[in-house]
Amino acid sequence: FPVTINVDWLYILTGANLHDISLGELWTLGGALFYAFTIVYLQRASSQTSEITLLTFYQIFFVIPWALIVPITLRHPLFLNWISWSGILITAIVSTALALWLQTKYQRETTATRAAIIFCLEPAFATLFGWLINAEPITRSVLIGGSVVLSSLVMVELIPLMSEWFT
């Protein structure tokens, strides 16, 4: 139920409609689904092995071919300068390898549901840092939508507790 509320409000906040779904929105939806499967798989795999670095290596190694498909299929080749390559390397090392290793190492300490909740807080942090760093306005729709999304995340934790109390 809380997941449905979360998806519905994100749908409303983005102003999307089912008649004008773009290829980018389908890619985003597909990416979100695959990432959900990744969280569930990682929960099982990380609790069954002590080789966290090797598990992280395999995850990155098997994703590389998929990451190369996009540049190969572009109509215009990419010509990148050293600034672009340095940004790609920093992103690959810090935002991918290090973050994935940390997730693999510590996800065994929590549940897949709580890991998903942590990832769902990304828009809240993006809004906060957008406001702090770029002085982006926080509008009423952002506050309302963010409140509904955050309350649905809290509901995921409260519903099991409430069912224990009343049984």
Side-chain angles (χ1 to χ4, degrees):
F1 179 69
V3 173
T4 305
I5 292 173
N6 198 349
V7 170
D8 289 345
W9 272 97
L10 286 174
Y11 176 79
I12 291 168
L13 282 175
T14 59
N17 62 50
L18 294 176
H19 301 294
D20 295 326
I21 294 178
S22 70
L23 183 61
E25 290 165 334
L26 290 175
W27 275 106
T28 302
L29 180 61
L33 288 173
F34 277 107
Y35 209 79
F37 291 132
T38 300
I39 290 173
V40 172
Y41 168 77
L42 197 55
Q43 181 68 36
R44 287 185 179 176
S46 66
S47 64
Q48 294 175 356
T49 184
S50 62
E51 296 293 333
I52 301 301
T53 304
L54 185 62
L55 182 59
T56 304
F57 170 78
Y58 282 140
Q59 291 177 82
I60 293 170
F61 181 75
F62 287 109
V63 167
I64 289 172
W66 292 104
L68 294 176
I69 288 173
V70 174
I72 291 170
T73 60
L74 290 176
R75 293 181 199 170
H76 306 289
L78 294 176
F79 297 105
L80 302 174
N81 58 21
W82 69 272
I83 294 173
S84 300
W85 279 112
S86 64
I88 289 170
L89 284 174
I90 289 170
T91 303
I93 293 168
V94 177
S95 298
T96 301
L98 180 61
L100 192 56
W101 181 79
L102 288 169
Q103 179 188 358
T104 304
K105 180 175 171 93
Y106 292 107
Q107 188 168 329
R108 71 169 75 183
E109 307 293 330
T110 188
T111 64
T113 303
R114 287 187 179 155
I117 288 172
I118 292 168
F119 282 107
C120 286
L121 290 173
E122 182 182 354
F125 285 108
T127 301
L128 175 66
F129 287 116
W131 176 71
L132 287 173
I133 296 170
N134 290 335
E136 292 180 11
I138 298 177
T139 62
R140 184 179 335 153
S141 65
V142 169
L143 288 174
I144 292 170
S147 299
V148 170
V149 168
L150 291 176
S151 65
S152 70
L153 297 175
V154 170
M155 285 174 59
V156 168
E157 290 293 318
L158 289 182
I159 289 174
L161 289 175
M162 291 175 65
S163 66
E164 288 178 16
W165 290 341
F166 295 112
T167 56

